[in-house]
Amino acid sequence: MTHPDHAALLDLATALAREAGALALEMREGIETLATKSSPTDVVTAADQAVERLLAERIRAARPDDGLLGEEGMSRAGTSGLRWVVDPIDGTVNYLYGIPQWAVSIGIEVDGSAVAGVVFDPSKDELWQAELGQGSTLNGRRLRCSSVDELGQALVATGFGYDARRRAAQARLLPALLPAVRDIRRQGAGALDLCSVAAGRVDAYYEQGLSPWDLSAGALVAREAGARVEGLRGRPASGALVLAAAPGVFDALHDVLAAAGADADPFD
Ligand code: IPD
Ligand code: CA
Ligand code: CA
């Protein structure tokens, strides 16, 4: 089956990410207070679902034979070999609290590999785009990851999952890591963490337990900016571990994480 060129897919994904981001921003205005616990959370869930529904409808209208994998469950198998991997709002907790660090993430994959990706951060009007083999950009400006080559100088982002056992395992990596790096950051949106690596806003990012929709677009943005994006011991980046780093610090960071037990699955 032939596919449209990646640039055309990127244009479509960009238009959809902008429309989805505008809807999410508009729905955010309805969340005025955190005074009651359940109602703001419900509003966030409603926004997640409304944004994914919008994306699912638009993708189906434009590309009826493509597959869709979305966090909110509006997934469907396709027949074209091309799959859209969508996180309608990445950084939900930031969204809930009004912290402007969340994004719509759209990756387009052929046989499981991303060929185009868009991450749109509507609060800052920042559009991150990547096309396989063509580099990545922020608002049209070409990205390059940092040239740091000493782990002690590296600012490293990470994230923590929602499950308590997962968090306990993630916490066990920190005593080894903290003394070895400049500092760590927990920004709260994995897709934007990957984009931050691409722009040199951090030197590296790692996280265990990510899902394909957190990863698909942002990993391509980081890779196309020259970052290495892998798992442990040469394995591909996956839910087990995503390590995205400037090439000059990748190996050193990998080795600290491996020695600290990043291999261990908390659910074994
Ligand atoms: C989460 C964010 C967070 C990361 C979590 C993800 P969500 O996605 O990307 O930064 O640490 O692992 O689940 O729930 O906000 O879409
Ligand atoms: Ca997410
Ligand atoms: Ca989400």
Side-chain angles (χ1 to χ4, degrees):
M1 166 127 356
T2 54
H3 298 301
D5 63 52
H6 299 164
L9 289 168
L10 186 64
D11 285 349
L12 176 59
T14 299
L16 300 189
R18 283 194 183 282
E19 189 182 356
L23 174 62
L25 206 52
E26 191 186 308
M27 291 188 78
R28 178 67 192 69
E29 280 157 26
I31 307 173
E32 281 175 2
T33 172
L34 286 171
T36 64
K37 269 222 160 163
S38 65
S39 59
T41 312
D42 292 347
V43 182
V44 171
T45 306
D48 277 327
Q49 291 174 350
V51 174
E52 184 160 313
R53 196 173 315 113
L54 173 79
L55 289 170
E57 281 169 14
R58 295 285 189 269
I59 293 165
R60 192 204 292 268
R63 309 257 330 148
D65 299 330
D66 293 353
L68 171 68
L69 176 67
E71 179 169 22
E72 303 303 322
M74 288 163 221
S75 304
R76 59 171 183 265
T79 53
S80 67
L82 209 135
R83 184 172 73 158
W84 296 66
V85 183
V86 164
D87 193 342
I89 300 176
D90 182 51
T92 313
V93 176
N94 286 342
Y95 183 84
L96 174 63
Y97 279 78
I99 297 170
Q101 180 74 1
W102 52 271
V104 178
S105 175
I106 303 177
I108 303 173
E109 300 184 350
V110 175
D111 299 328
S113 298
V115 296
V118 175
V119 178
F120 180 51
D121 171 349
S123 320
K124 307 187 199 78
D125 196 22
E126 288 193 334
L127 177 72
W128 306 83
Q129 294 170 297
E131 191 185 323
L132 183 64
Q134 301 299 316
S136 51
T137 56
L138 165 56
N139 290 347
R141 232 175 348 100
R142 180 59 63 112
L143 293 167
R144 198 71 215 156
C145 69
S146 92
S147 56
V148 67
D149 57 7
E150 264 180 70
L151 187 57
Q153 297 297 314
L155 186 62
V156 178
T158 189
F160 307 111
Y162 293 106
D163 180 272
R165 263 192 306 168
R166 161 87 56 208
R167 290 188 159 199
Q170 289 168 327
R172 286 194 285 276
L173 301 180
L174 297 177
L177 191 67
L178 269 169
V181 300
R182 181 193 292 273
D183 206 345
I184 66 162
R185 291 289 181 271
R186 198 290 190 250
Q187 307 186 102
L192 290 175
D193 288 325
L194 288 159
C195 292
S196 296
V197 173
R201 289 181 181 176
V202 296
D203 300 298
Y205 162 65
Y206 77 93
E207 185 164 342
Q208 297 166 296
L210 285 185
S211 298
W213 43 81
D214 300 313
L215 189 57
S216 181
L220 187 64
V221 173
R223 219 172 250 134
E224 288 292 329
R228 281 176 70 183
V229 185
E230 298 172 26
L232 275 188
R233 303 178 212 288
R235 293 195 284 269
S238 73
L241 180 79
V242 176
L243 171 54
V249 291
F250 182 95
D251 288 329
L253 181 55
H254 170 278
D255 292 352
V256 170
L257 292 171
D263 268 327
D265 185 334
F267 301 106
D268 274 349

